[in-house]
Amino acid sequence: MKKVVTFGELLMCLSTPGAQRLKQASNLEVDFGGAEANVAVSLAQFGDNVSFVSRVPANDLGERALMAVRQFNVNTENVRWGGKRLGLYFFENGAVYRPSQVIYDREHSSISEIKKGEFDWETIFQDADWFHWTGITPALSEQAAEVTLEALIAARKLGLKISGDYNYRSSLWNWGKSAAEVMPELLQYCDIMSGVHPDVDVLKAGVKEEDFRQAGDEMLSKYPNCKLVVFTTRGSHSASHNTWSGSIYDGNKVFSSKTYDLTHIVDRVGGGDSFMAALIYALRHYDDLQQVVDFAAGASALKHFVPGDGNICSIEEVESLLQNVNGLIKR
């Protein structure tokens, strides 16, 4: 099978141990992630051929970041060296009524200073049939938005399937234009959209099927290339206890997964990325959209109990969950 290509920033995550707060921690744990890298890692765990495209500084931190995704069989040969710094984010895990917190430190990162023409997209997309991007990358800088558009034009020209995750981050859109000004031009290239608007990024529990239809019809009408609109629905009892489900709308019917009751959450960062990765995998391997959304929701439910940004669950683990084989020791 042909490869999937993802494009975005590779970040260093500095997190507090256990339930400590950032302002009380005397040491921080190091990990690496980023939305598009998380998708690549998850897809590789399902056995797909994945190439991650990014730009990192030519120093030990850049090399260490690449090692973190290579260890999960993600191809990084199309990552470019350049710039002076790796993007960072600081994370404290919430508990019960105290929410989790993310602080970004991404200004002037390597990928934010990327230039058009730096990537040979037609070569990168050789032997690929899928391109995945998110709205986080164009939020970083005008240059990153231009390169994202450059990649989308090349992917469409070569006939790749394109999935886009809006992934709205209000704190990142500060380079002069808003998401509302930039994203419509990029979204027009998508075949599949997820989290298509800041207010629809994660729908709240209790919405009805007609809400999905209304939001989906609006996006399908606005973006004629789009064939599927994808939604995730999160209900929050506390930082440690959420409900979670997913839905797909194809213009005719809403396909919804079961709702998972996620008690004792370990790490919810990357939950949406794990949903998109499993969705991409299922769309490439399954024909039935109900089976697709069930697999995507099951995989992302499992991610909430895996530390770190990437979902390293296997197909067999997801299938066991879908068959209600939960929590048994494997011997």
Side-chain angles (χ1 to χ4, degrees), residues 90-225:
F90 298 84
F91 177 71
E92 69 174 39
N93 206 7
V96 192
Y97 299 117
R98 177 172 60 81
S100 299
Q101 179 183 191
V102 171
I103 298 175
Y104 289 121
D105 180 11
R106 302 170 76 159
E107 290 188 20
H108 305 295
S109 65
S110 290
I111 201 167
S112 71
E113 297 180 348
I114 203 166
K115 299 291 191 297
K116 288 176 65 177
E118 194 160 343
F119 293 106
D120 181 352
W121 288 108
E122 295 205 6
T123 299
I124 290 170
F125 289 143
Q126 284 182 2
D127 301 321
D129 64 0
W130 199 291
F131 176 56
H132 179 70
W133 66 286
T134 83
I136 293 176
T137 305
L140 297 175
S141 68
E142 184 174 9
Q143 302 97 298
E146 290 173 345
V147 175
T148 303
L149 177 59
E150 184 182 54
L152 288 167
I153 291 171
R156 176 59 62 202
K157 176 183 175 182
L158 295 172
L160 277 68
K161 192 82 73 176
I162 300 172
S163 56
D165 190 341
Y166 203 115
N167 251 342
Y168 181 69
R169 301 289 186 270
S170 60
S171 62
L172 296 179
W173 284 95
N174 55 21
W175 55 264
K177 287 188 177 182
S178 67
E181 293 175 290
V182 175
M183 290 297 286
E185 182 180 13
L186 305 178
L187 290 171
Q188 67 175 312
Y189 292 92
C190 288
D191 299 285
I192 297 100
M193 294 185 193
S194 175
V196 292
H197 185 277
D199 297 330
V200 188
D201 190 13
V202 178
L203 292 173
K204 300 191 184 306
V207 296
K208 300 177 181 178
E209 182 173 315
E210 49 263 38
D211 296 315
F212 294 113
R213 288 182 178 275
Q214 181 178 349
D217 283 335
E218 179 182 342
M219 301 313 296
L220 293 174
S221 174
K222 188 174 182 179
Y223 301 104
N225 282 324

Side-chain angles (χ1 to χ4, degrees), residues 40-99:
V41 166
S42 296
L43 279 167
Q45 300 316 289
F46 296 144
D48 275 357
N49 181 10
V50 190
S51 175
F52 174 61
V53 181
S54 190
R55 186 175 189 254
V56 300
N59 56 34
D60 285 352
L61 288 179
E63 180 61 36
R64 176 65 184 90
L66 291 183
M67 289 170 62
V69 292
R70 286 192 196 119
Q71 68 177 322
F72 296 112
N73 297 318
V74 174
N75 185 304
T76 62
E77 66 182 3
N78 291 310
V79 174
R80 298 289 181 265
W81 300 102
K84 296 182 178 179
R85 66 182 301 258
L86 197 66
L88 306 176
Y89 79 92
F90 298 84
F91 177 71
E92 69 174 39
N93 206 7
V96 192
Y97 299 117
R98 177 172 60 81

Side-chain angles (χ1 to χ4, degrees), residues 307-320:
D309 284 16
N311 187 14
I312 55 174
C313 295
S314 67
I315 296 171
E316 292 74 22
E317 288 172 314
V318 178
E319 290 177 342
S320 291

